[in-house]
Amino acid sequence: MTGSRVNGTIYTNTTGKPIFLYVSGVSGGNSTFTVGGVNGTFGGGAAGPTAVQTLSIIIPNGVTYSVQVNARVDWLELR
């Protein structure tokens, strides 16, 4: 889904089943996500070109979700 997903954009899971979402980025500082109106952060470790941040989460059917990563590397959805 990397080519069709944009940081900070709100998407809705309309697949009829849960989605497993995996996002990774390389940057320093916190990245954020929202799933069904619940906000969270991830990352925040070391900065630099090798500082990888990852998020793995289940998105229930019918729920909205968005992710904001400073420098997105990959966005995968298992549907």
Side-chain angles (χ1 to χ4, degrees):
M1 301 303 297
T2 298
S4 64
R5 295 296 191 229
V6 177
N7 272 334
T9 300
I10 298 171
Y11 298 98
T12 302
N13 177 3
T14 59
T15 64
K17 56 189 174 186
I19 293 173
F20 174 77
L21 173 64
Y22 174 84
V23 177
S24 67
V26 178
S27 65
N30 286 331
S31 295
T32 61
F33 67 93
T34 302
V35 176
V38 177
N39 300 315
T41 61
F42 64 101
T50 60
V52 177
Q53 303 174 1
T54 62
L55 170 69
S56 299
I57 194 165
I58 302 293
I59 311 298
N61 183 55
V63 171
T64 59
Y65 60 102
S66 67
V67 178
Q68 180 68 47
V69 180
N70 296 332
R72 191 179 79 225
V73 171
D74 215 352
W75 179 307
L76 307 169
E77 293 182 9
L78 178 60
R79 298 169 168 244

